[in-house]
Amino acid sequence: MYDTYGRELLNERLSLTLTDLRIQSYLYNKEIAEEVFVLYLKFDIWMRIFFDDGVLFIKEGPEEPLMNLENESDADEFEYPFIDSINEKYPIDKVLNKSFVGFTVSQGFDLYLDFQGGHQMKISQEVTSPGWFGRTTLEIK
């Protein structure tokens, strides 16, 4: 990880319960460019977690995740929809309504969020070659 911004926001959420989780994707010209573009977590407040070229950002807000943003220009079309039925691919029930007990930012490009009962979310940014980054992935176990 080149840098991490917002660790203190996660420290302030320790022992709180995760009450909601949403995954926002990024579509470019109707094609999935990033399935996991921004991860929204709700404890006492909404937070958003995302990577940008090897830098991890953990930010507060907004009050409610921005729904299905769209931006059309003359040549390109961008959309930011939320994944429907995320429980089919991502078993969020393992972490929803569980207490947040810890987190680790690895030396690589991974953020591990630990929850009550031994459950964990891993958010990672793929490294395609030194200095070049691919998609963000999410695992829940």
Side-chain angles (χ1 to χ4, degrees):
M1 193 89 50
Y2 292 136
D3 210 342
T4 302
Y5 295 98
R7 285 179 201 244
E8 70 281 356
L9 292 172
L10 288 177
N11 276 323
E12 294 167 3
R13 309 276 104 54
L14 289 171
S15 81
L16 296 180
T17 300
L18 179 67
T19 59
D20 203 352
L21 182 153
R22 299 191 192 160
I23 301 169
Q24 192 169 37
S25 297
Y26 164 55
L27 303 175
Y28 178 73
N29 289 332
K30 304 284 185 197
E31 299 288 327
I32 294 176
E34 288 254 6
E35 184 173 79
V36 180
F37 187 61
V38 179
L39 182 65
Y40 289 92
L41 305 174
K42 185 169 186 183
F43 295 98
D44 57 332
I45 60 169
W46 279 103
M47 297 174 49
R48 62 191 189 279
I49 298 174
F50 59 95
F51 283 94
D52 188 8
D53 288 337
V55 178
L56 174 63
F57 292 91
I58 304 160
K59 296 191 171 199
E60 195 173 302
E63 283 187 34
E64 188 73 23
L66 302 173
M67 299 296 291
N68 299 324
L69 298 174
E70 293 183 19
N71 179 17
E72 292 184 29
S73 67
D74 290 339
D76 302 316
E77 187 176 316
F78 306 94
E79 295 178 57
Y80 301 89
F82 287 98
I83 294 176
D84 292 326
S85 304
I86 59 177
N87 234 352
E88 291 175 16
K89 184 168 184 180
Y90 304 104
I92 65 171
D93 55 323
K94 291 183 176 185
V95 294
L96 274 182
N97 301 311
K98 303 283 191 309
S99 182
F100 176 51
V101 297
F103 69 96
T104 304
V105 178
S106 77
Q107 292 297 317
F109 297 92
D110 307 304
L111 170 65
Y112 297 89
L113 303 175
D114 300 314
F115 293 88
Q116 161 192 8
H119 298 290
Q120 186 177 70
M121 284 195 323
K122 176 185 174 190
I123 304 111
S124 304
Q125 187 171 45
E126 298 172 345
V127 179
T128 55
S129 62
W132 295 92
F133 299 92
R135 297 179 176 194
T136 299
T137 60
L138 173 65
E139 296 174 38
I140 301 174
K141 49 184 175 171

